[in-house]
Amino acid sequence: MEYYSPTDLNEAYSLLDKYGEDAIPIAGSTFYMGHREELFDEVEAVINIKQLGLSYIRQDDHGLRIGATTTLNEIFAHELTSKGTFGILAETVKELNINEVRNMATIGGEVCIAGEVDMPTTLLAYDANIVIGGSKGVREMSMADFHIGYLNNALEPGEMVLEVHIPQPPANTGAGFAKFERTAADLPIVNVATRISLDNAGACAEARVVAGAATLSGVPERSAAAEAALLNKVIDDTLIETAAVASGDIECIHDFRMSAEIRSLWVKCGIEDALQRAVAAVQ
Amino acid sequence: MNAINLKINNEHYDVSVKPHWSLAYVIREKVGLTGTKTGCEMGTCGSCTLLLDGKPVFSCLRMAIDAQGCDIRTIEGVEEDNNGELHPLQEAFIQDHGMQCGFCTPGMIIAAKHLLEHNPDPTEREVREAIGGHLCRCGTYIRIVRSILNAAETMRNAQAGQ
Ligand SMILES: Cc1cc2nc3c(=O)[nH]c(=O)nc-3n(C[C@H](O)[C@H](O)[C@H](O)COP(=O)(O)OP(=O)(O)OC[C@H]3O[C@@H](n4cnc5c(N)ncnc54)[C@H](O)[C@@H]3O)c2cc1C
Ligand code: FES
Ligand code: FES
């Protein structure tokens, strides 16, 4: 197994091209090292992508841009992501209560894992896009399209994630995140993110209700029924309950960690909780 | 094999490593510093915690080859950081019996040391959050939390007395 730590993107791309599917880009290494027994036999080259200048958080006219190797604790502490419009990102990180993992794990690593992670759920609620780079150029893909199945993403051999781009949400937007896990060190069993944007009359103009980690499809999913229940209405406790019940359209997975029935119940409870928080957070 | 140099507690060590070898493994088995423990080797117990460029990380989840050029501090360096004396945290863990078998202790102390350096007067909740990723098989949590809070108080008093 070869190890590389390229210092510019072209060097990284040529290594990714050279090794194709036999190369693995590594950022925080918290997932890779946790699975090294299974992974290292299959891998010919490990490419450390932390020296590529992809650790940054900045805002421009199009919204927020977070470089792929930005760590979860950097997101937790940064003024653009710890409060205000994008404060939901720090709230999401806060629910991963292992300081040591948050110091290592990166947003790029989080989005590449379609499974029991939290950030993709929140990013889906914010209509985020994933910026993908390779020797053939840069392309952007929605978070919704990027995950194509459990532990499976849309990256082609030779490509890597460069950045997460979160469009500026409308004014009067609030968001909430809720999560169920067994212990602080456990992966999420259910996570939920909601975002609501209100019109001038106070009615719901845009709604996102997302559940992750729990779904049968293995990827975070929006509840069309819950979102429809909220749209064009003034949100109160009764409506929140109606929307939470409607989220039964998300089919949950039954596995050794939790039965589908209880997961569905937890999705409903989580959505209720996250919607309450979203309403309280509208600004 | 790749030849690398690791800076651990201000000493430099030349070692040969494979890319997937963890920093925890190399520090224990190749460098011979066995204060850092390995319980799970998959990021779920906290016993391998050390400071990498001042931040606590799980050394079982870090490639050793990716720790070159970093400032690594392990439990063996804690006394050195405290002028060769036991650190108030170590004193408090002894005084308050913040351990039974002691396996989780190095990781707990490293995490607590980082907490107290950034937050000298933590609440009990903040202490519990700082050790959120650390398991104690012996279930000594109450005494661990008490040790950390007492060490914090000792350190604040020493600071005030200066
Ligand atoms: C004990 C434990 C508990 C955890 N609990 C949670 C939790 O509750 N919620 C949560 O959200 N997360 C949790 N995590 C973190 C999560 O499971 C992953 O470990 C983490 O998101 C991976 O990030 P990384 O940067 O370390 O990725 P790495 O391990 O470096 O990489 C992960 C995968 O993504 C690929 N990859 C990484 N970056 C890129 C890129 N830029 N382009 C292309 N491919 C890339 C790698 O090739 C690899 O396949 C937990 C981790 C541990 C160890
Ligand atoms: S050995 Fe590293 S966290 Fe358990
Ligand atoms: S004292 Fe035995 S594991 Fe904590």
Side-chain angles (χ1 to χ4, degrees), chain B residues 127-143:
Chain B
V127 170
R128 287 183 180 275
E129 278 178 355
I131 58 168
H134 294 245
L135 289 182
C136 173
R137 287 179 305 179
C138 304
T140 326
Y141 297 107
I142 291 173
R143 286 174 177 277

mmCIF file with all atom_site columns, all heavy atoms in Angstrom, chain B residues 127-143:
data_model
loop_
_atom_site.group_PDB
_atom_site.id
_atom_site.type_symbol
_atom_site.label_atom_id
_atom_site.label_alt_id
_atom_site.label_comp_id
_atom_site.label_asym_id
_atom_site.label_entity_id
_atom_site.label_seq_id
_atom_site.pdbx_PDB_ins_code
_atom_site.Cartn_x
_atom_site.Cartn_y
_atom_site.Cartn_z
_atom_site.occupancy
_atom_site.B_iso_or_equiv
_atom_site.pdbx_formal_charge
_atom_site.auth_seq_id
_atom_site.auth_comp_id
_atom_site.auth_asym_id
_atom_site.auth_atom_id
_atom_site.pdbx_PDB_model_num
ATOM 1   N N   . VAL B 1 127 ? -17.871 18.936 32.295 1.00 0.00 ? 127 VAL B N   1
ATOM 2   C CA  . VAL B 1 127 ? -16.907 17.857 32.530 1.00 0.00 ? 127 VAL B CA  1
ATOM 3   C C   . VAL B 1 127 ? -17.415 16.575 31.879 1.00 0.00 ? 127 VAL B C   1
ATOM 4   O O   . VAL B 1 127 ? -16.692 15.880 31.165 1.00 0.00 ? 127 VAL B O   1
ATOM 5   C CB  . VAL B 1 127 ? -16.672 17.641 34.042 1.00 0.00 ? 127 VAL B CB  1
ATOM 6   C CG1 . VAL B 1 127 ? -15.874 16.363 34.288 1.00 0.00 ? 127 VAL B CG1 1
ATOM 7   C CG2 . VAL B 1 127 ? -15.957 18.841 34.652 1.00 0.00 ? 127 VAL B CG2 1
ATOM 8   N N   . ARG B 1 128 ? -18.694 16.277 32.098 1.00 0.00 ? 128 ARG B N   1
ATOM 9   C CA  . ARG B 1 128 ? -19.253 15.042 31.530 1.00 0.00 ? 128 ARG B CA  1
ATOM 10  C C   . ARG B 1 128 ? -19.206 15.072 29.998 1.00 0.00 ? 128 ARG B C   1
ATOM 11  O O   . ARG B 1 128 ? -18.978 14.057 29.352 1.00 0.00 ? 128 ARG B O   1
ATOM 12  C CB  . ARG B 1 128 ? -20.686 14.821 32.033 1.00 0.00 ? 128 ARG B CB  1
ATOM 13  C CG  . ARG B 1 128 ? -20.714 14.379 33.487 1.00 0.00 ? 128 ARG B CG  1
ATOM 14  C CD  . ARG B 1 128 ? -22.122 14.098 33.976 1.00 0.00 ? 128 ARG B CD  1
ATOM 15  N NE  . ARG B 1 128 ? -22.105 13.683 35.371 1.00 0.00 ? 128 ARG B NE  1
ATOM 16  C CZ  . ARG B 1 128 ? -21.904 12.424 35.775 1.00 0.00 ? 128 ARG B CZ  1
ATOM 17  N NH1 . ARG B 1 128 ? -21.744 11.463 34.885 1.00 0.00 ? 128 ARG B NH1 1
ATOM 18  N NH2 . ARG B 1 128 ? -21.881 12.124 37.066 1.00 0.00 ? 128 ARG B NH2 1
ATOM 19  N N   . GLU B 1 129 ? -19.435 16.259 29.424 1.00 0.00 ? 129 GLU B N   1
ATOM 20  C CA  . GLU B 1 129 ? -19.368 16.353 27.966 1.00 0.00 ? 129 GLU B CA  1
ATOM 21  C C   . GLU B 1 129 ? -17.934 16.142 27.464 1.00 0.00 ? 129 GLU B C   1
ATOM 22  O O   . GLU B 1 129 ? -17.715 15.502 26.444 1.00 0.00 ? 129 GLU B O   1
ATOM 23  C CB  . GLU B 1 129 ? -19.911 17.712 27.496 1.00 0.00 ? 129 GLU B CB  1
ATOM 24  C CG  . GLU B 1 129 ? -21.433 17.686 27.420 1.00 0.00 ? 129 GLU B CG  1
ATOM 25  C CD  . GLU B 1 129 ? -22.072 18.994 27.007 1.00 0.00 ? 129 GLU B CD  1
ATOM 26  O OE1 . GLU B 1 129 ? -21.354 20.008 26.844 1.00 0.00 ? 129 GLU B OE1 1
ATOM 27  O OE2 . GLU B 1 129 ? -23.305 18.993 26.861 1.00 0.00 ? 129 GLU B OE2 1
ATOM 28  N N   . ALA B 1 130 ? -16.963 16.683 28.195 1.00 0.00 ? 130 ALA B N   1
ATOM 29  C CA  . ALA B 1 130 ? -15.567 16.557 27.764 1.00 0.00 ? 130 ALA B CA  1
ATOM 30  C C   . ALA B 1 130 ? -15.110 15.105 27.759 1.00 0.00 ? 130 ALA B C   1
ATOM 31  O O   . ALA B 1 130 ? -14.231 14.725 26.989 1.00 0.00 ? 130 ALA B O   1
ATOM 32  C CB  . ALA B 1 130 ? -14.659 17.387 28.670 1.00 0.00 ? 130 ALA B CB  1
ATOM 33  N N   . ILE B 1 131 ? -15.701 14.270 28.623 1.00 0.00 ? 131 ILE B N   1
ATOM 34  C CA  . ILE B 1 131 ? -15.321 12.850 28.634 1.00 0.00 ? 131 ILE B CA  1
ATOM 35  C C   . ILE B 1 131 ? -16.428 11.989 28.016 1.00 0.00 ? 131 ILE B C   1
ATOM 36  O O   . ILE B 1 131 ? -16.495 10.787 28.244 1.00 0.00 ? 131 ILE B O   1
ATOM 37  C CB  . ILE B 1 131 ? -14.953 12.362 30.059 1.00 0.00 ? 131 ILE B CB  1
ATOM 38  C CG1 . ILE B 1 131 ? -16.115 12.576 31.037 1.00 0.00 ? 131 ILE B CG1 1
ATOM 39  C CG2 . ILE B 1 131 ? -13.679 13.045 30.562 1.00 0.00 ? 131 ILE B CG2 1
ATOM 40  C CD1 . ILE B 1 131 ? -15.921 11.862 32.381 1.00 0.00 ? 131 ILE B CD1 1
ATOM 41  N N   . GLY B 1 132 ? -17.271 12.638 27.193 1.00 0.00 ? 132 GLY B N   1
ATOM 42  C CA  . GLY B 1 132 ? -18.420 11.947 26.591 1.00 0.00 ? 132 GLY B CA  1
ATOM 43  C C   . GLY B 1 132 ? -18.023 10.730 25.765 1.00 0.00 ? 132 GLY B C   1
ATOM 44  O O   . GLY B 1 132 ? -18.773 9.759  25.681 1.00 0.00 ? 132 GLY B O   1
ATOM 45  N N   . GLY B 1 133 ? -16.846 10.756 25.151 1.00 0.00 ? 133 GLY B N   1
ATOM 46  C CA  . GLY B 1 133 ? -16.422 9.637  24.302 1.00 0.00 ? 133 GLY B CA  1
ATOM 47  C C   . GLY B 1 133 ? -15.573 8.627  25.048 1.00 0.00 ? 133 GLY B C   1
ATOM 48  O O   . GLY B 1 133 ? -14.963 7.758  24.424 1.00 0.00 ? 133 GLY B O   1
ATOM 49  N N   . HIS B 1 134 ? -15.514 8.737  26.376 1.00 0.00 ? 134 HIS B N   1
ATOM 50  C CA  . HIS B 1 134 ? -14.629 7.860  27.160 1.00 0.00 ? 134 HIS B CA  1
ATOM 51  C C   . HIS B 1 134 ? -15.434 6.857  27.971 1.00 0.00 ? 134 HIS B C   1
ATOM 52  O O   . HIS B 1 134 ? -16.331 7.235  28.726 1.00 0.00 ? 134 HIS B O   1
ATOM 53  C CB  . HIS B 1 134 ? -13.771 8.687  28.118 1.00 0.00 ? 134 HIS B CB  1
ATOM 54  C CG  . HIS B 1 134 ? -12.802 9.577  27.410 1.00 0.00 ? 134 HIS B CG  1
ATOM 55  N ND1 . HIS B 1 134 ? -11.438 9.426  27.510 1.00 0.00 ? 134 HIS B ND1 1
ATOM 56  C CD2 . HIS B 1 134 ? -12.991 10.615 26.562 1.00 0.00 ? 134 HIS B CD2 1
ATOM 57  C CE1 . HIS B 1 134 ? -10.839 10.342 26.765 1.00 0.00 ? 134 HIS B CE1 1
ATOM 58  N NE2 . HIS B 1 134 ? -11.762 11.079 26.173 1.00 0.00 ? 134 HIS B NE2 1
ATOM 59  N N   . LEU B 1 135 ? -15.092 5.580  27.838 1.00 0.00 ? 135 LEU B N   1
ATOM 60  C CA  . LEU B 1 135 ? -15.745 4.547  28.635 1.00 0.00 ? 135 LEU B CA  1
ATOM 61  C C   . LEU B 1 135 ? -14.860 4.167  29.807 1.00 0.00 ? 135 LEU B C   1
ATOM 62  O O   . LEU B 1 135 ? -13.638 4.124  29.687 1.00 0.00 ? 135 LEU B O   1
ATOM 63  C CB  . LEU B 1 135 ? -15.983 3.287  27.788 1.00 0.00 ? 135 LEU B CB  1
ATOM 64  C CG  . LEU B 1 135 ? -17.045 3.355  26.708 1.00 0.00 ? 135 LEU B CG  1
ATOM 65  C CD1 . LEU B 1 135 ? -17.154 1.990  26.035 1.00 0.00 ? 135 LEU B CD1 1
ATOM 66  C CD2 . LEU B 1 135 ? -18.386 3.774  27.285 1.00 0.00 ? 135 LEU B CD2 1
ATOM 67  N N   . CYS B 1 136 ? -15.487 3.902  30.935 1.00 0.00 ? 136 CYS B N   1
ATOM 68  C CA  . CYS B 1 136 ? -14.781 3.331  32.078 1.00 0.00 ? 136 CYS B CA  1
ATOM 69  C C   . CYS B 1 136 ? -15.458 2.000  32.380 1.00 0.00 ? 136 CYS B C   1
ATOM 70  O O   . CYS B 1 136 ? -16.590 1.966  32.843 1.00 0.00 ? 136 CYS B O   1
ATOM 71  C CB  . CYS B 1 136 ? -14.865 4.266  33.284 1.00 0.00 ? 136 CYS B CB  1
ATOM 72  S SG  . CYS B 1 136 ? -14.195 3.516  34.773 1.00 0.00 ? 136 CYS B SG  1
ATOM 73  N N   . ARG B 1 137 ? -14.744 0.922  32.090 1.00 0.00 ? 137 ARG B N   1
ATOM 74  C CA  . ARG B 1 137 ? -15.328 -0.408 32.300 1.00 0.00 ? 137 ARG B CA  1
ATOM 75  C C   . ARG B 1 137 ? -15.699 -0.617 33.752 1.00 0.00 ? 137 ARG B C   1
ATOM 76  O O   . ARG B 1 137 ? -16.587 -1.373 34.087 1.00 0.00 ? 137 ARG B O   1
ATOM 77  C CB  . ARG B 1 137 ? -14.314 -1.518 31.942 1.00 0.00 ? 137 ARG B CB  1
ATOM 78  C CG  . ARG B 1 137 ? -14.051 -1.718 30.513 1.00 0.00 ? 137 ARG B CG  1
ATOM 79  C CD  . ARG B 1 137 ? -13.033 -2.821 30.346 1.00 0.00 ? 137 ARG B CD  1
ATOM 80  N NE  . ARG B 1 137 ? -11.819 -2.551 31.116 1.00 0.00 ? 137 ARG B NE  1
ATOM 81  C CZ  . ARG B 1 137 ? -10.773 -3.348 31.174 1.00 0.00 ? 137 ARG B CZ  1
ATOM 82  N NH1 . ARG B 1 137 ? -10.792 -4.490 30.532 1.00 0.00 ? 137 ARG B NH1 1
ATOM 83  N NH2 . ARG B 1 137 ? -9.704  -3.037 31.872 1.00 0.00 ? 137 ARG B NH2 1
ATOM 84  N N   . CYS B 1 138 ? -14.922 0.018  34.642 1.00 0.00 ? 138 CYS B N   1
ATOM 85  C CA  . CYS B 1 138 ? -15.157 -0.183 36.071 1.00 0.00 ? 138 CYS B CA  1
ATOM 86  C C   . CYS B 1 138 ? -16.307 0.684  36.573 1.00 0.00 ? 138 CYS B C   1
ATOM 87  O O   . CYS B 1 138 ? -16.683 0.578  37.736 1.00 0.00 ? 138 CYS B O   1
ATOM 88  C CB  . CYS B 1 138 ? -13.888 0.131  36.867 1.00 0.00 ? 138 CYS B CB  1
ATOM 89  S SG  . CYS B 1 138 ? -12.465 -0.816 36.321 1.00 0.00 ? 138 CYS B SG  1
ATOM 90  N N   . GLY B 1 139 ? -16.807 1.565  35.722 1.00 0.00 ? 139 GLY B N   1
ATOM 91  C CA  . GLY B 1 139 ? -17.956 2.379  36.115 1.00 0.00 ? 139 GLY B CA  1
ATOM 92  C C   . GLY B 1 139 ? -17.629 3.408  37.174 1.00 0.00 ? 139 GLY B C   1
ATOM 93  O O   . GLY B 1 139 ? -18.444 3.694  38.050 1.00 0.00 ? 139 GLY B O   1
ATOM 94  N N   . THR B 1 140 ? -16.439 3.969  37.118 1.00 0.00 ? 140 THR B N   1
ATOM 95  C CA  . THR B 1 140 ? -16.005 4.906  38.168 1.00 0.00 ? 140 THR B CA  1
ATOM 96  C C   . THR B 1 140 ? -16.406 6.348  37.872 1.00 0.00 ? 140 THR B C   1
ATOM 97  O O   . THR B 1 140 ? -15.853 7.273  38.463 1.00 0.00 ? 140 THR B O   1
ATOM 98  C CB  . THR B 1 140 ? -14.456 4.831  38.299 1.00 0.00 ? 140 THR B CB  1
ATOM 99  O OG1 . THR B 1 140 ? -14.037 3.500  38.040 1.00 0.00 ? 140 THR B OG1 1
ATOM 100 C CG2 . THR B 1 140 ? -13.994 5.210  39.685 1.00 0.00 ? 140 THR B CG2 1
ATOM 101 N N   . TYR B 1 141 ? -17.346 6.531  36.976 1.00 0.00 ? 141 TYR B N   1
ATOM 102 C CA  . TYR B 1 141 ? -17.642 7.883  36.457 1.00 0.00 ? 141 TYR B CA  1
ATOM 103 C C   . TYR B 1 141 ? -17.818 8.944  37.534 1.00 0.00 ? 141 TYR B C   1
ATOM 104 O O   . TYR B 1 141 ? -17.295 10.042 37.421 1.00 0.00 ? 141 TYR B O   1
ATOM 105 C CB  . TYR B 1 141 ? -18.892 7.854  35.563 1.00 0.00 ? 141 TYR B CB  1
ATOM 106 C CG  . TYR B 1 141 ? -18.728 7.002  34.343 1.00 0.00 ? 141 TYR B CG  1
ATOM 107 C CD1 . TYR B 1 141 ? -19.354 5.768  34.230 1.00 0.00 ? 141 TYR B CD1 1
ATOM 108 C CD2 . TYR B 1 141 ? -17.917 7.413  33.277 1.00 0.00 ? 141 TYR B CD2 1
ATOM 109 C CE1 . TYR B 1 141 ? -19.190 4.966  33.123 1.00 0.00 ? 141 TYR B CE1 1
ATOM 110 C CE2 . TYR B 1 141 ? -17.750 6.623  32.160 1.00 0.00 ? 141 TYR B CE2 1
ATOM 111 C CZ  . TYR B 1 141 ? -18.383 5.399  32.087 1.00 0.00 ? 141 TYR B CZ  1
ATOM 112 O OH  . TYR B 1 141 ? -18.204 4.620  30.982 1.00 0.00 ? 141 TYR B OH  1
ATOM 113 N N   . ILE B 1 142 ? -18.576 8.606  38.584 1.00 0.00 ? 142 ILE B N   1
ATOM 114 C CA  . ILE B 1 142 ? -18.867 9.626  39.591 1.00 0.00 ? 142 ILE B CA  1
ATOM 115 C C   . ILE B 1 142 ? -17.569 10.150 40.191 1.00 0.00 ? 142 ILE B C   1
ATOM 116 O O   . ILE B 1 142 ? -17.369 11.350 40.363 1.00 0.00 ? 142 ILE B O   1
ATOM 117 C CB  . ILE B 1 142 ? -19.791 9.034  40.688 1.00 0.00 ? 142 ILE B CB  1
ATOM 118 C CG1 . ILE B 1 142 ? -21.170 8.795  40.069 1.00 0.00 ? 142 ILE B CG1 1
ATOM 119 C CG2 . ILE B 1 142 ? -19.889 9.959  41.902 1.00 0.00 ? 142 ILE B CG2 1
ATOM 120 C CD1 . ILE B 1 142 ? -22.138 8.069  40.966 1.00 0.00 ? 142 ILE B CD1 1
ATOM 121 N N   . ARG B 1 143 ? -16.644 9.223  40.467 1.00 0.00 ? 143 ARG B N   1
ATOM 122 C CA  . ARG B 1 143 ? -15.375 9.636  41.080 1.00 0.00 ? 143 ARG B CA  1
ATOM 123 C C   . ARG B 1 143 ? -14.462 10.324 40.063 1.00 0.00 ? 143 ARG B C   1
ATOM 124 O O   . ARG B 1 143 ? -13.667 11.201 40.428 1.00 0.00 ? 143 ARG B O   1
ATOM 125 C CB  . ARG B 1 143 ? -14.676 8.427  41.688 1.00 0.00 ? 143 ARG B CB  1
ATOM 126 C CG  . ARG B 1 143 ? -15.359 7.980  42.970 1.00 0.00 ? 143 ARG B CG  1
ATOM 127 C CD  . ARG B 1 143 ? -14.754 6.705  43.503 1.00 0.00 ? 143 ARG B CD  1
ATOM 128 N NE  . ARG B 1 143 ? -15.390 6.347  44.762 1.00 0.00 ? 143 ARG B NE  1
ATOM 129 C CZ  . ARG B 1 143 ? -15.039 6.856  45.936 1.00 0.00 ? 143 ARG B CZ  1
ATOM 130 N NH1 . ARG B 1 143 ? -14.059 7.728  46.021 1.00 0.00 ? 143 ARG B NH1 1
ATOM 131 N NH2 . ARG B 1 143 ? -15.672 6.489  47.030 1.00 0.00 ? 143 ARG B NH2 1
#
